[in-house]
């Protein structure tokens, strides 16, 4: 699985030991109803590089940075439709 320091946010960790983090599982579940290009991730600015690494097919413009420490969330754009 993915190995990370103890203070690593849980959404980026492979908590189930199957090689996929919680955020990757969330994106995987949304893909049948919404293409990755129509999803957005809202996260703390210090986690942007982790999101890019774990969701490489997400456009960089769809990764939105918050200056304060908050939880990561995935949102989809209103015009979300399957490919």
């Amino acid at each position: 699985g993915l190995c990370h320091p103890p203070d690593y946010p849980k959404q980026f960790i492979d908590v189930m030991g199957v090689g996929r983090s919680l955020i990757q599982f969330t994106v995987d579940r949304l893909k049948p109803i919404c293409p990755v290009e129509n999803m957005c991730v809202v996260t703390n600015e210090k986690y942007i590089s982790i999101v890019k690494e774990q969701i490489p097919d997400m456009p960089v413009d769809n990764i939105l940075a918050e200056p304060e420490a908050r939880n990561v969330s995935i949102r989809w754009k209103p015009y979300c439709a399957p490919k």
Side-chain angles (χ1 to χ4, degrees):
L2 306 170
C3 183
H4 301 290
D7 62 340
Y8 208 73
K10 68 178 180 261
Q11 58 270 19
F12 301 120
I13 296 175
D14 175 12
V15 296
M16 293 180 273
V18 295
R20 303 289 286 164
S21 68
L22 294 176
I23 195 167
Q24 289 170 319
F25 270 121
T26 301
V27 170
D28 291 346
R29 285 193 319 268
L30 288 171
K31 280 182 178 180
I33 61 169
C34 184
V36 175
E37 306 82 54
N38 289 352
M39 295 180 204
C40 294
V41 172
V42 180
T43 188
N44 185 283
E45 55 194 9
K46 67 183 177 181
Y47 302 137
I48 289 176
S49 63
I50 300 171
V51 174
K52 287 180 187 177
E53 175 188 321
Q54 292 199 4
I55 312 169
D57 51 342
M58 177 167 282
V60 176
D61 290 342
N62 292 14
I63 303 171
L64 310 175
E66 293 182 321
E68 297 179 20
R70 298 187 184 237
N71 292 327
V72 171
S73 68
I74 296 178
R75 303 188 177 141
W76 53 89
K77 298 176 183 177
Y79 51 88
C80 181
K83 292 181 180 179

